[in-house]
Amino acid sequence: FPILITSDLISLYLILALGYFVAKSFGKKPINGVLIALGSFLMLTPFEMTASFPTETGEEISTLVSGVIPITNFGPQGIFLAMIVGIVATRIYVYFDNKGFKIKMPASVPENVTNMFETMIPASMVFIVFMLVRVACMHTEFGSAQELIYGLLQGPLQSIGGGYAGAFLYIFLGLVLWVFGIHGSMLLYVAMAPIANAMWAENMTAFASGLPAPHPEWLYMYFTNLGGSGSTLALVLLMAFLGKSEHFKTLGRVALPTSVFNINEPVIFGTPIVLNPVFALPFILAPSVNFLLTTLVNSMGFSVLTGAMQNNYYPIFALQALSTGSWTGVVWTIVLLAIDLLIYF
């Protein structure tokens, strides 16, 4: 049930947030943006689905059931459509509102009544636009806007950027950006959020159904960056216990408690790793090796990720145990940490 009202409805939450913030950014009432974006999204949503029923002879027959909404329209499969509709619908409303397509009310009329009448015409025009889009999509081979956007846009993008190559690129480029002092993972998340969120949501849905994670590579972050970006826990341990410089010894001991919880900004800027070609090499190499080796052991069935999302700031070993639901996650973390120690040494 928690999965049903969270990740299975992620597109619904996204459309509400986009309507709110797009309207607010143009100085319009956010609630108007929320309602118009949601209404436009529902305008494109088919209220019918194909259902299968067993007959008395044991055979199954399929029929079209009207008056129901397939829950998949509000899940990961609808993320791209939700983004498009949330932005476009609200922007059309802003355009019509700015052009004065609204009913003017006297100043003596209460504000809530005035808002209702002033929004009526712009909102109606937006809904008419999306009703026409719905009708046009029904006459395509896809049958609905959800299937059209997924088939032409989201599906191909996920197949290109959502596999192992996409996940590795997401991690690798984030590390490179960190070397130049830019928070790589945050910056790349902004660019790849539609793909990443779709991958994570599909993993969680599979986990809730007791199925293997369809995209385990997007969960390798739990093993890739031990101690934070760059897998710097190994570096912190070396500095704290083997460092010959007082600066490195002190930094290692100060950074060790936070590194256990995957927070390593003191190390990145205090070593420094930023703009440091010597430390940049192991900083990028260690997580890359961790990713490739984790891919190997996961395919062999040793340390298999469950698909459940975890908080990245859980302490090391606990995080990996929860992400695999097994002691094998802890064992594999110890192996990777030993390899990282060698790389940084």
Side-chain angles (χ1 to χ4, degrees):
F1 184 72
I3 296 293
L4 177 64
I5 61 172
T6 52
S7 62
D8 281 357
L9 298 178
I10 188 171
S11 296
L12 201 58
Y13 295 125
L14 180 61
I15 195 77
L16 297 175
L18 283 169
Y20 181 95
F21 286 107
V22 172
K24 185 178 179 180
S25 69
F26 285 94
K28 305 300 179 182
K29 292 183 181 297
I31 187 62
N32 293 346
V34 169
L35 296 176
I36 290 171
L38 176 61
S40 300
F41 188 66
L42 293 176
M43 193 73 69
L44 297 177
T45 304
F47 281 66
E48 57 186 23
M49 63 182 294
T50 302
S52 299
F53 301 95
T55 63
E56 294 181 356
T57 59
E59 299 180 357
E60 283 197 355
I61 58 173
S62 297
T63 183
L64 194 65
V65 181
S66 300
V68 294
I69 304 177
I71 195 69
T72 53
N73 290 325
F74 300 140
Q77 186 171 332
I79 285 180
F80 274 64
L81 181 65
M83 292 181 63
I84 294 170
V85 173
I87 296 172
V88 173
T90 312
R91 283 293 285 113
I92 294 175
Y93 156 70
V94 170
Y95 173 80
F96 285 130
D97 189 72
N98 289 340
K99 292 295 182 180
F101 290 88
K102 52 189 175 183
I103 301 173
K104 300 288 186 180
M105 301 298 292
S108 58
V109 178
E111 182 182 358
N112 60 327
V113 178
T114 299
N115 182 58
M116 179 181 68
F117 277 96
E118 289 186 347
T119 309
M120 190 179 299
I121 294 178
S124 298
M125 297 179 81
V126 174
F127 292 152
I128 290 172
V129 168
F130 280 92
M131 176 55 74
L132 294 174
V133 173
R134 176 192 177 105
V135 172
C137 291
M138 290 173 62
H139 287 84
T140 67
E141 61 178 303
F142 296 98
S144 68
Q146 281 80 2
E147 294 297 331
L148 186 145
I149 294 299
Y150 187 84
L152 296 182
L153 183 61
Q154 183 171 343
L157 283 176
Q158 285 184 193
S159 64
I160 296 172
Y164 284 90
F168 179 76
L169 192 64
Y170 181 78
I171 293 170
F172 180 81
L173 290 179
L175 297 168
V176 173
L177 290 172
W178 259 123
V179 171
F180 292 95
I182 302 170
H183 199 305
S185 54
M186 283 191 176
L187 182 62
L188 286 176
Y189 176 73
V190 173
M192 299 187 68
I195 294 175
N197 285 334
M199 300 295 99
W200 293 327
E202 288 181 14
N203 283 336
M204 288 188 288
T205 300
F207 173 69
S209 303
L211 301 173
H215 311 288
E217 65 277 6
W218 283 91
L219 300 172
Y220 289 170
M221 53 194 171
Y222 303 137
F223 292 94
T224 298
N225 291 310
L226 303 178
S229 296
S231 199
T232 54
L233 179 59
L235 174 62
V236 169
L237 291 172
L238 289 172
M239 288 194 297
F241 298 106
L242 297 180
K244 297 179 181 180
S245 161
E246 193 61 35
H247 166 73
F248 284 136
K249 278 186 178 180
T250 303
L251 178 60
R253 291 166 184 170
V254 168
L256 184 56
T258 59
S259 293
V260 170
F261 290 87
N262 300 304
I263 299 171
N264 66 341
E265 277 78 1
V267 181
I268 292 177
F269 293 102
T271 307
I273 291 174
V274 174
L275 298 179
N276 188 330
V278 176
F279 276 112
L281 182 60
F283 182 81
I284 295 173
L285 181 61
S288 301
V289 171
N290 291 352
F291 181 92
L292 297 175
L293 291 178
T294 301
T295 300
L296 178 63
V297 299
N298 188 80
S299 65
M300 295 170 61
F302 174 71
S303 186
V304 180
L305 288 98
T306 62
M309 287 290 289
Q310 308 295 335
N311 189 318
N312 283 331
Y313 302 111
Y314 285 150
I316 190 172
F317 301 130
L319 173 61
Q320 289 76 23
L322 289 170
S323 64
T324 59
S326 170
W327 58 270
T328 59
V330 176
V331 173
W332 183 239
T333 303
I334 294 173
V335 172
L336 291 178
L337 184 58
I339 295 172
D340 291 348
L341 284 166
L342 291 173
I343 291 174
Y344 271 104
F345 184 80

